[in-house]
Amino acid sequence: MLKILNIVGARPNFMKIAPIQREMRRRENDFLPLIVHTGQHYDAAMSDSFFADLGIPAPDFHLEVGSASHAVQTAKIMTAFEPIVLEEKPDWVLVVGDVNSTIACALVCAKLGVKVAHVEAGLRSRDRSMPEEINRILTDSISDLLLTTSQDADENLKHEGVSEDKIIFVGNVMIDSLFHGLKRAENSNIRQNLSLTEKEYAVLTLHRPSNVDEKQIFENLLDALCEISRQLPIVFPVHPRTKANIEKFGFAEKVANSNIKLIEPLGYLDFMRLYSGAKLVLTDSGGLQEETTALGIPCLTLRENTERPITIEMGTNILVGTNPAKVTQTAFEILSQKNVSQNKKIPPLWDGRTAERICDALLKITGLSQNA
Ligand code: UD1
């Protein structure tokens, strides 16, 4: 029996932990899973609604750290998490993704000699100005089990000198949640509530500090998006950071005069219902590049690099950058084509069964499975 602490902190963690937690509970003779929520995200729309939509049990431990600078937030998580590890003595701590909660909890465990499994290991944007890239590199370098979503991630880790026996290619657990939720998302009324017709709108998300924290960069992007919205209405669920900056930079009027509709951040199933019916998605998110690939929806990634190249090689993602002329031109090209996503493929092991393979991998590396 393995006692596991499953860590969640920020919005993109919840859909990764949900299927893992469910699979561990199903295998009750092998696993005792507990949930630790760091509280990095705390608004109902950024956290609680995901527990409800994804059927995640209430956290066993809540660290309630909230927002702060990177150093303060990371330190607060570490300080609050250490006594829990000492008290609970888990066999494994499982961290997902690349947020501050991921590295903070992994670092506590590395110092205490407690084993860490990193889900979504090995992704690299090669852009160290991204806080997530630092979190990825550091977390991978101190984890005992590196569970990867695609084989390019395995290659990245091997090039960094990680021993092959620590790396297991398990596929993309976020796609487990996607396939699990698709049917239930049909009950969402979000399209009716916003008077949207399938394939007659675009969805936008934008929250990276590099895109929204500097006035000129954000304004250039917004101008491009306003122009696209004249051809296809855009629905924009706004992250708290972005919302604050729209107000701070005085962009509210510009948006109000466009065909971009700002709405509050959505829950998991409402958002799935929204993007799954979109003709086009524009985003700087990591997860959405993968979700659109799994559903065959054209996606323009508003960044200069991506840690998820498989979504470009096999999927529907186009790395368009942030040059406004290029963004509008590429969007208009996609909108003028009829079947743009026809030949796109779903990457290997993005099949809805990754949580099973993660559990198998944990048993195997601990020497508990029959074929270990
Ligand atoms: C974090 C992750 C990012 C992920 C994103 C998804 C890191 C380094 N970044 O970025 O990888 O893509 O989550 O959302 O971990 N805020 C609220 N309510 C909340 C949470 C945050 O209003 O529930 C506001 C606060 O003003 C806060 C700001 O959003 O200062 C940023 O939050 P933070 O967790 O620091 O980073 P994100 O930008 O959300």
Side-chain angles (χ1 to χ4, degrees):
M1 162 82 78
L2 294 179
K3 185 176 193 179
I4 318 267
L5 296 184
N6 288 320
I7 311 298
V8 289
R11 184 168 61 176
N13 297 157
F14 303 123
M15 57 293 274
K16 295 167 196 166
I17 282 293
I20 298 172
Q21 178 74 16
R22 193 165 50 241
E23 180 65 13
M24 286 181 177
R25 283 160 77 102
R26 198 180 66 77
R27 300 193 198 183
E28 55 183 14
N29 293 331
D30 289 329
F31 291 98
L32 174 61
L34 298 171
I35 297 179
V36 179
H37 189 344
T38 67
Q40 176 174 346
H41 284 174
Y42 43 85
D43 284 346
M46 300 293 283
S47 173
D48 299 359
S49 76
F50 286 80
F51 277 78
D53 277 0
L54 289 155
I56 310 173
D60 298 280
F61 303 94
H62 204 307
L63 312 184
E64 296 181 350
V65 298
S67 299
S69 70
H70 284 264
V72 172
Q73 187 176 60
T74 308
K76 274 177 141 181
I77 297 169
M78 290 181 70
T79 313
F81 183 53
E82 185 179 52
I84 295 171
V85 180
L86 289 170
E87 177 68 28
E88 291 298 323
K89 302 185 179 56
D91 296 295
W92 285 90
V93 169
L94 184 142
V95 297
V96 297
D98 54 20
V99 301
N100 286 345
S101 301
T102 311
I103 176 59
C105 292
L107 188 48
V108 167
C109 295
K111 295 291 179 77
L112 291 176
V114 171
K115 286 192 188 313
V116 178
H118 183 205
V119 171
E120 208 181 87
L123 298 182
R124 297 289 181 267
S125 67
R126 303 198 164 74
D127 173 3
R128 290 200 180 199
S129 68
M130 249 183 123
E132 294 81 2
E133 182 73 353
I134 307 293
N135 294 343
R136 289 180 201 118
I137 294 168
L138 296 183
T139 303
D140 286 341
S141 70
I142 54 176
S143 292
D144 302 276
L145 175 60
L146 297 146
L147 299 157
T148 58
T149 53
S150 54
Q151 274 151 329
D152 55 280
D154 293 38
E155 292 311 312
N156 290 337
L157 291 167
K158 285 182 215 162
H159 282 139
E160 289 173 19
V162 176
S163 137
E164 278 192 41
D165 53 9
K166 284 188 184 178
I167 307 169
I168 304 186
F169 170 44
V170 288
N172 194 332
V173 78
M174 209 181 57
I175 305 304
D176 289 20
S177 274
L178 172 61
F179 291 163
H180 192 255
L182 267 179
K183 193 86 203 134
R184 279 181 309 136
E186 286 175 14
N187 296 327
S188 158
N189 291 323
I190 189 73
R191 292 189 205 157
Q192 292 93 310
N193 294 349
L194 296 171
S195 308
L196 298 168
T197 307
E198 194 170 349
K199 303 290 172 211
E200 290 185 11
Y201 63 95
V203 170
L204 166 68
T205 77
L206 205 60
H207 74 285
R208 297 260 157 239
S210 58
N211 278 340
V212 303
D213 280 2
E214 255 187 64
K215 185 174 179 188
Q216 199 54 58
I217 294 176
F218 191 6
E219 185 160 27
N220 289 345
L221 260 179
L222 258 189
D223 286 339
L225 294 161
C226 288
E227 197 178 330
I228 296 167
S229 79
R230 282 192 214 113
Q231 191 158 326
L232 187 71
I234 297 178
V235 184
F236 183 12
V238 191
H239 184 281
R241 167 196 290 282
T242 312
K243 186 179 183 186
N245 287 345
I246 288 176
E247 280 155 29
K248 182 169 125 194
F249 298 145
F251 294 158
E253 202 181 319
K254 187 191 284 286
V255 176
N257 290 332
S258 75
N259 216 349
I260 300 177
K261 187 172 179 55
L262 296 191
I263 59 172
E264 292 297 312
L266 293 174
Y268 184 67
L269 295 173
D270 281 339
F271 187 56
M272 187 185 289
R273 184 72 183 151
L274 185 69
Y275 70 75
S276 62
K279 188 175 175 75
L280 173 67
V281 168
L282 303 123
T283 191
D284 62 4
S285 143
L288 204 43
Q289 296 172 50
E290 300 181 332
E291 288 161 332
T292 47
T293 277
L295 296 183
I297 298 163
C299 175
L300 288 193
T301 295
L302 305 167
R303 289 172 44 189
E304 303 300 338
N305 48 60
T306 179
E307 59 290 333
R308 293 161 160 92
I310 196 157
T311 59
I312 299 172
E313 286 150 24
M314 294 193 75
T316 51
N317 190 18
I318 297 175
L319 191 63
V320 73
T322 53
N323 176 299
K326 181 141 186 244
V327 172
T328 29
Q329 191 200 331
T330 314
F332 289 148
E333 277 168 17
I334 290 180
L335 297 182
S336 65
Q337 292 169 24
K338 284 212 170 86
N339 276 320
V340 74
S341 62
Q342 219 173 29
N343 295 319
K344 300 298 183 179
K345 292 199 186 88
I346 298 184
L349 303 191
W350 293 23
D351 58 358
R353 303 191 62 180
T354 293
E356 291 171 40
R357 289 186 288 268
I358 290 173
C359 288
D360 291 345
L362 280 163
L363 292 173
K364 184 173 179 211
I365 200 161
T366 320
L368 292 178
S369 68
Q370 281 153 351
N371 53 359

